[in-house]
């Protein structure tokens, strides 16, 4: 059940992507997503999709993991792009009753599907290859200029770290409570949908109770270690941009130029 | 006739991912009526996994669990009955609690069994007696109790279902000596009165030696030994290799035997040691 849900999971490895500077990885992933959203023509989409695929290969993480983690959202995407098919404007190519399909409808649905697919893969790639530590540390570095306009970056980062940390803990806790109730004969799959929702109240309540207790204990522990006293903190690891990062930046730059350039090209016109 | 039997039992966590870990591998064993079974093993050796397989919380990847000679997974709809028949207290039973009051928490199982209000009351009071919980706790919130009291409420919640097999996963871990003794006594008392099978998981060799009829030794998901405690604890070297120890008294008596050059006999309890000393050394 809940244990099967894998959320933003880091899969340790030693690929090129694993070794990249997290700062570069986060920024470039973000930038790639922006590019994905500007891509409109088939050629542009192909360029960015091929690049995404190369990224997946470069992460040396089995494609199976990608599919498992994105399967559900992907199915939803296919569904929504299927709907898009019927909402095109212009000359109909196909007509049957009230259903009309136009060239722009087809393009719309393909574009939507490809964009969301690419975005999911890019973010999955970032999640899989960056540990939570690196991720937050990287974010901290990226956000550090905000200090000058009065944002307390340290606190924001601590909040992100703790919330990320609490996701698996809460899932685990949910599982424990479900198991404890099941082993004492609670029947979670009985009756209609209303009954099922009702059978979740005895799970949610203790879950909240224990989560609050945990949060309280954590804040005590943090206070005991003098959290809140401001001082400049250092990190065990310091990032350094390497050749791989430069290479990736150049590559993403090229992709961007390619996508913008090809956005106005039509396959039909070239062929 | 065996009460519980395991045949070629396999179970792995996170199947099909790079995090796959096997909890138990190829377990074969049979537990007879009326026995107390102690289970020992290094951390991560699969003791809790085995307990959950017996209780029907997780389904084996391969192999069978037979309860009274019937495969518990033969009929999916029956698995709830298995939960009632094989009661399991989890490793940190503090997590098992979800009732608003101690009464409601202990009554959860019996109510799910479909007992009438009066029967539920009787079950709850009986279970609280076994667990040595005073009636003044009935209306307290289980979350406000001390660690030892919580532990006893959780055990009472299982005993109240009158399971044919009672599995206790490290019921005494982290308790003070008096509470620990109290829980061990409750377990023995329950066994004396009902004659039901008890499976007792613990890291404290002295407790295992004292109450079990037979001991299971797990290592890396495998069942390495399954024998009477005297036979198990006479294999000290093998146990040491698995990160386990023999009871303190066994070590002492072994040393004394070696010094005095007396023929070796495995002693595992304090009472046994006293007898041995009187017999050989006085
Ligand atoms: N929920 C889980 N998800 C993934 N792996 C698990 C899970 N629970 C246990 N394992 C793995 O299964 C193996 C056996 O675990 P188990 O909890 O049965 O050990 P144990 O003998 O009870 O240990 P302990 O003495 O620490 O309680 C371990 O290697 C553990 O890492
Ligand atoms: Mg355990």
């Amino acid at each position: 059940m809940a244990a099967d849900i894998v959320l933003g999971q880091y899969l340790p490895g030693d690929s090129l992507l694993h070794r990249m500077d997290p700062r570069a990885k986060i920024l470039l992933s973000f930038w790639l997503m922006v590019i994905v959203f500007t891509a409109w023509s088939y050629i542009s989409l192909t360029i960015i999709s091929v690049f995404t695929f190369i990224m997946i290969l470069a992460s040396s993480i089995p494609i199976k993991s990608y599919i498992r983690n994105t399967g559900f959202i992907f199915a939803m995407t296919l569904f929504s792009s299927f709907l898009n098919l019927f909402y095109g404007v212009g000359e109909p190519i196909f007509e049957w009753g009230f259903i009309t399909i136009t060239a722009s409808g087809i393009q719309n649905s393909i574009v939507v599907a490809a964009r969301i697919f690419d975005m999911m893969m890019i973010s999955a790639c970032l999640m899989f290859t960056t540990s939570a530590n690196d991720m937050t540390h990287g974010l901290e570095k990226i956000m550090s200029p905000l200090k000058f306009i009065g944002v307390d970056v340290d606190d924001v980062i601590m909040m992100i770290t703790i919330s990320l940390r609490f996701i698996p803990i809460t899932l685990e806790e949910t599982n424990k409570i479900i198991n404890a109730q099941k082993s004492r004969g609670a029947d979670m799959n009985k009756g209609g949908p209303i009954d099922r929702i009702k059978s979740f109240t005895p799970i949610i309540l203790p879950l909240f109770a224990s989560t609050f207790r945990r949060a309280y204990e954590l804040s005590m522990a943090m206070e005991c270690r003098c959290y809140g006293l401001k001082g400049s903190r250092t990190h065990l690891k310091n990032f350094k941009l390497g050749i791989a990062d430069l290479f990736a930046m150049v590559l993403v730059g090229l992709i961007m130029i390619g996508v913008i350039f090809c956005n106005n090209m039509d396959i039909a016109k070239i062929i | 006739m065996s009460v519980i039997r395991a045949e070629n039992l396999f179970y792995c966590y996170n199947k099909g991912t790079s995090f796959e870990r096997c909890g138990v591998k190829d377990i074969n064993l049979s537990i007879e009526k009326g026995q107390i079974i102690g289970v020992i093993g290094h951390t991560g050796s699969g003791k809790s996994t085995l307990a959950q397989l017996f209780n029907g919380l997780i389904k084996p990847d391969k192999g069978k669990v037979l309860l009274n000679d019937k495969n518990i997974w033969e009929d999916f709809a029956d698995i709830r009955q298995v939960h009632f028949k094989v009661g399991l207290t989890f490793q940190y039973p503090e997590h098992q609690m979800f009732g608003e009051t101690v009464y409601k928490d202990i009554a959860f199982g019996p109510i799910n069994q479909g007992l009438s209000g009066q029967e539920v009351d009787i079950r709850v009071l009986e279970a609280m007696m076994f667990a040595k919980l005073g009636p003044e706790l009935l209306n307290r919130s289980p979350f406000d109790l001390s660690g030892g009291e919580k532990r006893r409420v959780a055990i009472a919640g299982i005993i109240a279902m009158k399971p044919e097999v009672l599995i206790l996963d490290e019921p005494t871990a982290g308790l003070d000596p008096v509470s620990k003794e109290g829980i061990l006594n409750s377990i023995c008392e329950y066994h004396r009165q009902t004659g039901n099978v008890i499976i007792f998981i613990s890291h404290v060799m002295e407790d295992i030696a004292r109450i079990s009829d037979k001991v299971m030794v797990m290592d890396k998901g495998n069942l390495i030994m399954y024998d009477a405690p005297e036979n198990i604890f006479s294999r000290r070297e093998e146990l040491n290799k698995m990160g386990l120890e023999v009871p303190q008294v066994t070590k002492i008596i072994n040393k004394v035997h070696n010094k005095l050059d007396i023929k070796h006999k495995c002693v595992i309890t304090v009472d046994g040691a006293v007898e041995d000393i009187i017999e050989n050394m006085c």
Side-chain angles (χ1 to χ4, degrees):
Chain A
M1 233 202 263
D4 303 332
I5 306 169
V6 199
L7 262 178
Q9 194 168 40
Y10 171 55
L11 302 174
D14 192 35
S15 71
L16 205 62
L17 287 181
H18 281 94
R19 274 177 283 142
M20 260 179 79
D21 187 326
R23 287 173 301 177
K25 236 188 308 186
I26 295 169
L27 284 178
L28 288 180
S29 301
F30 181 71
W31 194 234
L32 270 174
M33 291 194 201
V34 174
I35 300 176
V36 167
F37 257 89
T38 57
W40 158 249
S41 76
Y42 289 132
I43 300 180
S44 309
L45 279 174
T46 313
I47 294 175
I48 192 95
S49 301
V50 167
F51 184 71
T52 312
F53 190 67
I54 293 173
M55 258 171 65
I56 291 177
L57 291 183
S59 71
S60 61
I61 285 164
I63 296 189
K64 227 170 45 182
S65 306
Y66 283 94
I67 295 172
R68 199 197 320 277
N69 270 260
T70 49
F72 176 68
I73 310 177
F74 189 59
M76 303 271 288
T77 314
L78 280 186
F79 180 70
S80 74
S81 70
F82 178 72
L83 287 183
N84 259 316
L85 202 55
F86 306 111
Y87 290 100
V89 285
E91 276 296 287
I93 332 180
F94 176 82
E95 226 166 339
W96 187 72
F98 61 93
I99 297 174
T100 52
I101 294 177
T102 66
S104 77
I106 294 175
Q107 181 162 17
N108 245 334
S109 66
I110 292 177
V111 168
V112 169
R115 274 182 187 171
I116 297 188
F117 180 74
D118 286 346
M119 297 239 320
M120 274 181 344
M121 288 304 158
I122 292 166
S123 53
C125 196
L126 176 67
M127 289 291 187
F128 286 164
T129 58
T130 320
S131 69
N133 258 340
D134 280 355
M135 187 82 86
T136 45
H137 187 184
L139 274 176
E140 184 180 343
K141 285 280 171 307
I142 292 168
M143 287 165 64
S144 58
L146 291 180
K147 274 183 193 148
F148 297 114
I149 57 165
V151 179
D152 199 331
V153 176
D154 286 345
D155 281 350
V156 172
I157 292 299
M158 186 52 89
M159 270 151 61
I160 296 176
T161 314
I162 292 174
S163 357
L164 283 181
R165 188 65 206 108
F166 260 69
I167 293 171
I169 289 178
T170 313
L171 282 178
E172 211 174 285
E173 199 86 351
T174 317
N175 256 354
K176 268 189 193 146
I177 295 169
I178 290 178
N179 274 346
Q181 303 208 348
K182 268 210 312 218
S183 75
R184 282 159 76 183
D187 201 347
M188 312 271 168
N189 302 319
K190 185 182 58 182
I194 307 254
D195 281 334
R196 285 187 192 207
I197 292 172
K198 268 194 195 151
S199 77
F200 263 88
T201 11
I203 293 170
I204 300 291
L205 289 182
L207 183 64
F208 266 101
S210 78
T211 310
F212 279 121
R213 201 169 24 178
R214 232 178 235 274
Y216 178 70
E217 279 164 13
L218 180 66
S219 64
M220 289 276 269
M222 282 166 69
E223 239 165 78
C224 289
R225 296 200 228 160
C226 298
Y227 183 81
L229 278 186
K230 290 292 164 201
S232 68
R233 285 203 187 79
T234 55
H235 284 273
L236 182 62
K237 256 195 315 192
N238 272 316
F239 299 138
K240 242 180 101 183
L241 287 178
I243 299 200
D245 303 306
L246 284 178
F247 180 69
M249 286 180 208
V250 172
L251 213 55
V252 173
L254 287 178
I255 295 289
M256 183 180 72
I257 295 170
V259 165
I260 294 172
F261 184 71
C262 297
N263 246 349
N264 297 319
M265 264 194 238
D266 203 329
I267 301 183
K269 275 185 205 146
I270 303 172
I271 304 168
Chain B
M1 193 183 89
S2 60
V3 177
I4 278 207
R5 208 162 74 230
E7 288 178 1
N8 298 80
L9 215 51
F10 281 86
Y11 185 84
C12 292
Y13 289 97
N14 301 319
K15 281 175 284 288
T17 70
S18 47
F19 290 98
E20 179 165 320
R21 297 210 57 172
C22 286
V24 302
K25 290 173 235 162
D26 198 15
I27 303 268
N28 288 288
L29 70 99
S30 131
I31 296 174
E32 309 298 325
K33 239 192 163 88
Q35 287 186 324
I36 298 186
I37 308 290
V39 186
I40 54 178
H42 193 254
T43 288
S45 57
K47 305 182 294 294
S48 303
T49 310
L50 189 64
Q52 293 181 25
L53 282 166
F54 281 167
N55 165 265
L57 258 187
I58 50 182
K59 192 169 181 296
D61 297 332
K62 232 163 69 190
K64 283 188 272 191
V65 176
L66 296 120
L67 179 65
N68 297 323
D69 286 325
K70 186 167 170 276
N71 184 353
I72 62 171
W73 288 100
E74 200 172 270
D75 189 356
F76 271 54
D78 276 354
I79 203 65
R80 254 183 95 209
Q81 292 307 318
V82 174
H83 296 328
F84 294 135
K85 285 183 187 152
V86 184
L88 167 66
T89 65
F90 288 84
Q91 191 156 358
Y92 298 101
E94 291 82 287
H95 300 300
Q96 233 181 13
M97 268 172 295
F98 37 80
E100 294 141 58
T101 62
V102 169
Y103 174 84
K104 279 191 186 167
D105 200 275
I106 299 177
F108 189 83
I111 289 174
N112 281 328
Q113 281 177 304
L115 299 179
S116 73
Q118 213 179 356
E119 283 173 300
V120 171
D121 283 350
I122 296 174
R123 288 281 185 95
V124 171
L125 290 176
E126 266 179 13
M128 285 181 74
M129 238 164 56
F130 269 122
K132 303 205 171 60
L133 289 160
E136 72 279 2
L137 292 178
L138 267 179
N139 291 316
R140 290 267 294 279
S141 159
F143 296 106
D144 296 341
L145 302 179
S146 79
E149 286 168 333
K150 277 185 192 165
R151 202 63 68 92
R152 277 181 276 162
V153 170
I155 294 175
I158 302 296
I159 287 182
M161 305 193 299
K162 291 223 167 133
E164 278 173 47
V165 178
L166 177 62
I167 307 180
L168 300 146
D169 197 345
E170 298 189 28
T172 58
L175 293 186
D176 65 281
V178 175
S179 311
K180 197 185 88 173
E181 202 60 26
I183 285 183
L184 283 179
N185 285 337
S186 302
I187 295 169
C188 292
E189 180 68 23
Y190 180 77
H191 182 252
R192 221 183 4 259
Q193 288 199 13
T194 61
N196 288 349
V197 169
I198 292 179
I199 301 175
F200 177 76
I201 301 175
S202 176
H203 285 295
V204 184
M205 301 302 149
E206 282 75 16
D207 297 349
I208 294 275
R210 211 171 83 198
I211 72 169
S212 12
D213 298 313
K214 265 179 131 181
V215 175
M216 289 167 54
V217 181
M218 307 266 310
D219 187 39
K220 301 193 183 91
N222 297 302
L223 179 64
I224 308 288
M225 305 177 199
Y226 180 46
D227 209 341
E230 291 82 11
N231 300 341
I232 300 271
F233 290 126
S234 56
R235 297 159 77 174
R236 180 168 172 199
E237 264 113 63
E238 287 167 75
L239 291 176
N240 282 167
K241 265 186 210 135
M242 289 182 260
L244 298 172
E245 250 309 344
V246 299
Q248 289 282 355
V249 281
T250 311
K251 272 196 264 183
I252 298 173
I253 296 290
N254 281 355
K255 275 202 175 152
V256 173
H257 282 178
N258 284 344
K259 275 252 161 74
L260 298 181
D261 230 4
I262 301 174
K263 200 166 115 302
H264 205 72
K265 185 178 143 237
C266 189
V267 171
I268 55 170
T269 59
V270 174
D271 292 341
V274 171
E275 262 173 44
D276 189 83
I277 291 172
I278 292 174
E279 188 185 315
N280 289 318
M281 294 158 224
C282 294

